[in-house]
Amino acid sequence: MTDDALATAERFYALLDADEIEEFLGLCAEDVEVRYPAAGMLPYGGTWLGRDGVARFLDAHEEAEEILEFDHGPMFAGGDTVLVLGRFTGRARKSGRTWSTRFVHALTIADGHVRRWEAFFDTASAVAARS
């Protein structure tokens, strides 16, 4: 399962990087769950359910921030879980301020689909850049 999970995670980021949103959504399970911190403080923070929820999450993120850098680095797999280390730099569209953070994504993968995508990053920097 670990090799399959890693291959699915690599495809997940390749599709996201290529802005292949329809194919990206197809890689997500129908009942996928996305969890991003800072619900109520960031437009894309909170829990997003299903493929429609993921599409709304991506739209909310796009409306809130311009992505200047999104580098996903090493991936570590155990069973159906893949942890991804990376770095993000964005510009808040509301204020024009840039901010950077390292992140960890925890992906849960089953049957070749992403079932859960949870993010951990410096939310204080993201919130401060919006004001």
Side-chain angles (χ1 to χ4, degrees), residues 56-105:
R56 288 192 312 276
F57 161 78
L58 293 173
D59 287 344
H61 194 282
E62 177 65 24
E63 288 176 24
E65 295 174 352
E66 176 187 1
I67 298 172
L68 303 175
E69 172 191 26
F70 181 80
D71 291 327
H72 47 86
M75 297 182 187
F76 305 93
D80 64 354
T81 301
V82 178
L83 298 179
V84 182
L85 305 179
R87 181 157 184 79
F88 174 89
T89 301
R91 178 178 296 120
R93 294 193 190 276
K94 181 179 176 183
S95 70
R97 292 185 182 152
T98 61
W99 67 282
S100 294
T101 187
R102 292 181 182 267
F103 66 80
V104 176
H105 287 169

Side-chain angles (χ1 to χ4, degrees), residues 34-51:
V34 174
R35 288 180 169 242
Y36 260 63
M41 295 184 290
L42 294 173
Y44 51 86
T47 301
W48 305 81
L49 301 174
R51 291 176 180 155

